Amino acid sequence: MRLVLLGGPGAGKGTQSKILSEHFKVAHISTGDILRKHMEDKTEIGVEIRDIMDAGDLVADDLVTGLLKARVKEDDCKNGFVLDGYPRTLVQAEILTDVVGEVDKIVFINLADDYVIQRMSGRFSCPNCGAMFHIINNPPKRVGICDNCGTALIQREDDRARTVENRLKVYHELTTPIIDYFRERGCLAEVSGVGEISDITAAITAVLS
Ligand code: AMP
């Protein structure tokens, strides 16, 4: 299974990608995670992209594409992958199959901006194990503490309200055109991003079968 998930910030791509990659026993590739790891490790790339990422802007096409090319060559991608966060610009859409090979399905998770703002500004994650929580939709058992490992939860810098607005602006300007690009080529399936996590997973698996 080689699946690409598209959708705006906060549409649930990350959550669904993790669930689907476990379900299909394939790799989960998140370009956002790859870039955040560089920032955490303070690599040369990490230092270069910090301000861009924190502002909610997009990292250069060449840089992300190079990292993705290397990632898909890793062993765990042999049986396939769920790709989350790429393509994000028309340039990336046009070179998608050159970079990752043919894909089985491109699924667009559609969620209106009002939902996105409510969702993202309540999102917290664990800096230790990566678990995600939400103050309304998926609260941790103890306020501010990870259920899995007891670490204090943090809010991603780019999930803060002002940045969320910029990420939506960037998404509408640069990423929305790629939805039309794939739709016009008849290779896009669309599901609603509203509802329970399990309902959205079911909607995605339905369009895959
Ligand atoms: P995400 O975790 O997918 O929401 O991505 C977080 C941030 O990483 C984005 O706001 C961008 O700054 C950067 N990023 C992730 N994927 C890409 C991409 N395909 N092209 C450019 N920037 C990206």
Side-chain angles (χ1 to χ4, degrees):
M1 170 63 64
R2 299 156 73 87
L3 174 65
V4 177
L5 289 191
L6 299 179
K13 283 180 287 111
T15 304
Q16 293 299 331
S17 302
K18 275 186 205 132
I19 295 171
L20 292 163
S21 62
E22 280 163 25
H23 176 80
F24 291 111
K25 298 186 172 44
V26 294
H28 171 211
I29 307 178
S30 156
T31 46
D33 283 352
I34 294 171
L35 295 165
R36 276 186 291 277
K37 181 81 174 57
H38 274 279
M39 292 201 320
E40 262 168 53
D41 295 347
K42 297 190 172 59
T43 64
E44 207 174 308
I45 290 176
V47 172
E48 184 188 325
I49 63 177
R50 176 170 294 279
D51 289 348
I52 300 170
M53 298 265 298
D54 284 351
D57 290 325
L58 293 189
V59 166
D61 287 328
D62 287 357
L63 196 155
V64 191
T65 302
L67 292 170
L68 179 58
K69 261 187 189 158
R71 178 67 186 89
V72 287
K73 287 193 186 116
E74 285 176 30
D75 264 6
D76 64 331
C77 297
K78 280 204 177 109
N79 294 332
F81 52 77
V82 181
L83 177 57
D84 150 21
Y86 190 106
R88 244 176 164 110
T89 62
L90 260 187
V91 171
Q92 293 178 16
E94 283 163 1
I95 58 174
L96 175 69
T97 48
D98 294 336
V99 177
V100 303
E102 291 301 322
V103 297
D104 295 305
K105 206 71 163 186
I106 301 174
V107 180
F108 170 43
I109 307 178
N110 197 354
L111 189 68
D113 288 3
D114 291 354
Y115 283 99
V116 172
I117 291 168
Q118 188 219 15
R119 233 185 228 183
M120 288 180 73
S121 41
R123 208 156 73 159
F124 288 83
S125 62
C126 174
N128 182 43
C129 72
M132 301 281 293
F133 299 90
H134 190 279
I135 45 175
I136 297 166
N137 305 335
N138 178 28
K141 293 192 182 79
R142 281 184 297 152
V143 177
I145 303 293
C146 178
D147 287 355
N148 298 340
C149 66
T151 305
L153 299 174
I154 54 163
Q155 187 167 39
R156 254 168 59 177
E157 187 61 39
D158 63 353
D159 277 353
R160 293 178 205 275
R162 207 161 8 100
T163 312
V164 169
E165 280 170 27
N166 189 43
R167 291 178 74 191
L168 279 169
K169 187 170 148 269
V170 169
Y171 167 68
H172 288 300
E173 274 171 25
L174 298 175
T175 311
T176 306
I178 74 177
I179 307 296
D180 297 332
Y181 174 89
F182 289 123
R183 194 181 277 136
E184 279 159 20
R185 280 157 185 76
C187 50
L188 191 78
E190 189 164 335
V191 300
S192 165
V194 181
E196 296 292 320
I197 291 173
S198 56
D199 294 338
I200 300 163
T201 310
I204 298 174
T205 44
V207 299
L208 296 178
S209 56

